[in-house]
């Protein structure tokens, strides 16, 4: 009995998905319909949209793409409640060429609960859990093509996937829970690398990915109720377009019309490019609408630790946030600001390296201001930071219109005009710092610290290598040394 006759007699459909010369045929129980073989559509010429959709709708579950180019002109919809648990996968040799508008693959689930197991319905566990995309390439060939879109899913997982030349690479909408995106390349897309778009999303891990040269942002959250976001060990570069682009950031998170909290950004390289308008490596705005149970308007519980950041107008721009730790980062080439913290409460900025390394000064046209600014803040610890070098700006570090600020054990060196400027700052302390301009061309006119207006402050046990200017009403000074050069 030949293979075709056996299949017909046994009531089995077939999808041949193996590499040439290999026996990777998959047998699928399919009493209701014959499952088509779409590997005949891997030449990049035939439109494979309908046949791939038929394979999905057959409820096969494991849909494997061998080497080839699969041209599609419309979205492949994976309605998990109808087709059951489904994964799309390959070994890195299959390309999906999306020539239509919208996502190449759209995953639709019905999960309406949270990440708490008690809220997950039995039919969701049975038919919808852990939809996956693994080991394929998606290339956009339409200006509004999107790589992957998901809504209503739980445990949605994207791994070892490359998406380029699309609009957005990964687009999460409406509601999702427990998302994992890892070992992926989202490169050279016209929109956003990973877009969290006006949805309800708790628990998302983005790890070990290259997210680069997406013109409207790398990882972007807008209008989203966002909790438990971890971004780790990623290379996130150049997601800001060019001089003609709209404002964008490598990582952009805002709470307006949504919320954000429980965020960790760890061990990433995040950089490029200062040429885009108001470009920022990490932008977080935690301002939220008024809550019924509190007058607080600031989201937070954010950690930014162990990252390398450079070459942007602002390396970190933090606004309206509370409960933030920024520590152990290496930061340089902030053309306007290395760090700007505005209207924040209860934060720690510690043990960071802000260094103007001459190796990176490629041209006299480069104008790195490298400023560090805290404004309208309440309750900040700024400790153990090494700040060396600044552009031709008013002060290397400025604290303005703030209170309960504790600056300790910092080195502020080779700053030009002023090392540390405080204006209208009260109930605060500067202690155990070394503030010194060593360069001969700046040495005589440099001011180590200038404190203008404020009350009930302390300036103690600092080593000033240059003159200082402190208003009489500031508070208490003792144990400081002004070392002549």
């Amino acid at each position: 009995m030949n293979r075709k006759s056996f299949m017909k007699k046994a009531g089995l459909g077939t999808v041949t998905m193996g590499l040439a010369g290999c026996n990777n045929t998959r047998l699928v129980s399919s009493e209701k319909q014959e499952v088509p073989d779409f590997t005949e559509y891997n030449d990049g010429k035939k439109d494979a949209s309908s046949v791939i959709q038929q394979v999905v709708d057959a409820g096969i579950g494991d849909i494997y793409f061998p080497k080839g180019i699969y041209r599609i002109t419309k979205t492949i919809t994976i309605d998990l409640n109808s087709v059951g648990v489904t994964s799309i996968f390959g070994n890195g040799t299959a390309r999906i060429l999306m020539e239509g508008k919208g996502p190449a693959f759209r995953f639709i689930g019905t999960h309406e609960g949270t990440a708490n197991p008690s809220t997950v319905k039995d039919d969701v566990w049975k038919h919808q859990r852990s939809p996956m995309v693994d080991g394929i390439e998606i290339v956009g060939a339409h200006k509004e093509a999107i790589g992957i879109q998901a809504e209503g899913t739980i445990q949605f997982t994207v791994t070892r996937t490359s998406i380029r030349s699309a609009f957005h690479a990964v687009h999460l909408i409406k509601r999702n829970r427990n998302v994992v995106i890892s070992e992926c390349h989202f490169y050279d897309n016209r929109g956003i690398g990973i877009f969290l778009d006006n949805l309800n999303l708790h628990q998302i891990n983005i790890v070990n990915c290259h997210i680069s040269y997406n013109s409207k942002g790398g990882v972007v959250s807008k209008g989203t109720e966002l909790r438990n976001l971890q971004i780790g060990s990623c290379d996130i570069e150049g997601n800001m377009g060019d001089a003609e682009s709209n404002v964008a950031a490598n990582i952009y998170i805002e709470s307006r019309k949504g919320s954000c909290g429980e965020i960790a950004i760890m061990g990433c390289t995040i950089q490029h490019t200062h040429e885009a308008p108001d470009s920022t490596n990490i932008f977080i705005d935690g301002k939220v609408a008024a809550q019924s149970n509190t007058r607080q308007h600031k989201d937070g519980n954010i950690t930014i630790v162990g990252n390398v950041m450079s070459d942007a107008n602002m390396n970190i721009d933090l606004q309206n946030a509370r409960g933030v730790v920024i520590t152990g980062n290496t930061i340089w080439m902030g053309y306007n600001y290395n760090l700007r913290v505005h209207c924040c409460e209860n934060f720690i900025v510690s043990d960071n390296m802000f260094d103007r390394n001459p190796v990176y000064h490629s041209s006299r046209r480069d104008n790195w201001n490298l400023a560090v600014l805290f404004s309208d803040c309440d309750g900040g610890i700024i400790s153990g930071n090494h700040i060396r070098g600044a552009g031709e700006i008013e002060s290397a570090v400025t604290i303005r219109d703030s209170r309960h600020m504790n600056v300790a054990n910092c080195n502020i060196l080779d700053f030009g005009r002023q090392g540390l400027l405080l204006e209208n700052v009260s109930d605060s302390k500067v202690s155990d710092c070394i503030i010194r301009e060593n360069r001969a061309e700046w040495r005589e006119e440099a001011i180590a610290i200038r404190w203008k207006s404020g009350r009930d402050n302390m300036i103690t046990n600092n080593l000033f290598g240059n003159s200082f200017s402190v208003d009489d009403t500031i508070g208490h000074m003792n144990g400081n040394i002004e070392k002549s050069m």
Side-chain angles (χ1 to χ4, degrees), residues 81-376:
N81 196 48
S82 297
V83 303
V85 177
T86 301
S87 63
I88 307 291
F89 66 102
N91 284 325
T93 57
R95 173 183 296 173
I96 308 299
L97 185 64
M98 178 52 168
E99 294 186 353
K101 177 181 178 180
F105 296 103
R106 177 187 288 126
F107 289 81
I108 301 175
T110 62
H111 178 56
E112 297 177 346
T114 68
N116 189 320
S118 65
T119 69
V120 185
K121 296 178 180 179
D122 289 342
D123 66 321
V124 171
W125 284 130
K126 183 177 180 180
H127 298 292
Q128 301 180 31
R129 56 103 185 111
S130 302
M132 296 184 183
V133 179
D134 176 72
I136 63 171
E137 179 190 40
I138 301 173
V139 177
H142 186 285
K143 66 179 182 179
E144 297 183 61
I146 293 171
I148 301 167
Q149 188 179 86
E151 63 177 89
T153 68
I154 186 166
Q155 300 176 340
F156 181 60
T157 303
V158 182
T159 55
R160 302 187 309 159
T161 293
S162 173
I163 303 176
R164 61 183 177 87
S165 300
F167 187 50
H168 305 316
V170 174
H171 190 203
L172 303 182
I173 61 173
K174 295 185 179 179
R175 187 182 190 91
N176 292 276
R177 284 296 187 275
N178 297 14
V179 175
V180 173
I181 301 173
S182 68
E183 288 83 42
C184 291
H185 301 268
F186 304 139
Y187 178 82
D188 192 24
N189 295 289
R190 290 180 294 278
I192 294 167
I194 300 173
F195 190 14
L196 315 181
D197 183 7
N198 289 277
L199 79 153
N200 186 300
L201 173 62
H202 293 208
Q203 293 84 33
I204 173 170
N205 296 352
I206 302 169
V207 294
N208 301 331
C209 292
H210 286 278
I211 305 170
S212 301
Y213 301 100
N214 303 288
S215 295
K216 298 183 183 297
V219 179
V220 175
S221 175
K222 291 185 177 181
T224 289
E225 181 186 306
L226 177 64
R227 296 290 185 276
N228 306 108
L229 165 65
Q230 291 82 37
I231 303 174
S233 302
C234 292
D235 181 66
I236 306 176
E237 298 190 15
N239 298 289
M240 306 169 189
D242 54 27
E244 304 302 320
S245 300
N246 295 325
V247 176
N250 278 316
I251 298 174
Y252 183 101
I253 300 167
E254 68 170 33
S255 284
R256 299 171 189 270
K257 297 183 180 180
S259 62
C260 69
E262 302 162 47
I263 295 169
I265 301 170
M266 310 160 291
C268 299
T269 55
I270 309 170
Q271 55 192 344
H272 305 318
T273 173
H274 70 277
E275 295 174 351
D278 295 329
S279 59
T280 307
N281 279 322
I282 299 176
F283 172 86
I284 300 176
D285 184 352
K287 187 172 183 178
V288 293
Q291 306 294 308
S292 60
N293 62 333
T294 179
R295 300 174 68 180
Q296 178 63 249
H297 292 264
K298 297 180 176 68
D299 268 338
N301 300 324
I302 298 165
T303 295
I304 301 171
V305 58
N307 302 282
V308 176
M309 285 173 271
S310 70
D311 187 31
N313 281 289
M314 285 179 281
N315 276 309
I316 301 177
D317 189 6
L318 181 67
Q319 302 179 19
N320 306 300
R322 175 178 178 144
V324 180
V325 175
I326 300 172
T327 187
N329 301 283
T330 300
I331 300 173
W332 78 103
M333 284 178 70
Y335 276 71
N336 286 323
Y337 296 96
N338 272 332
L339 171 64
R340 184 170 72 175
V341 180
H342 175 68
C343 202
C344 293
E345 298 179 33
N346 305 343
F347 59 88
I348 296 174
V349 178
S350 69
D351 303 303
N352 298 287
M353 174 62 70
F354 300 90
D355 182 27
R356 181 174 180 166
N357 190 331
V359 170
Y360 287 84
H361 192 82
S362 58
S363 169
R364 289 186 176 274
R365 292 175 296 176
D366 288 336
N367 181 22
W368 309 339
N369 286 331
L370 311 174
V372 176
L373 171 64
F374 302 88
S375 60
D376 295 292

Side-chain angles (χ1 to χ4, degrees), residues 373-425:
L373 171 64
F374 302 88
S375 60
D376 295 292
C377 292
D378 187 354
I381 296 176
I382 304 162
S383 68
N385 299 290
H386 186 92
I387 302 165
R388 187 161 201 160
E392 295 184 11
I393 56 177
E394 184 178 18
S395 180
V397 181
T398 301
I399 305 174
R400 183 176 290 125
D401 301 324
S402 299
R403 61 197 299 257
H404 302 134
M405 305 293 287
N406 190 346
V407 183
N409 299 301
C410 291
N411 286 355
I412 305 174
L413 306 173
D414 298 341
F415 43 77
R417 293 183 175 89
Q418 294 182 120
L420 175 60
L421 171 64
L422 303 100
E423 295 181 318
N424 190 29
V425 177

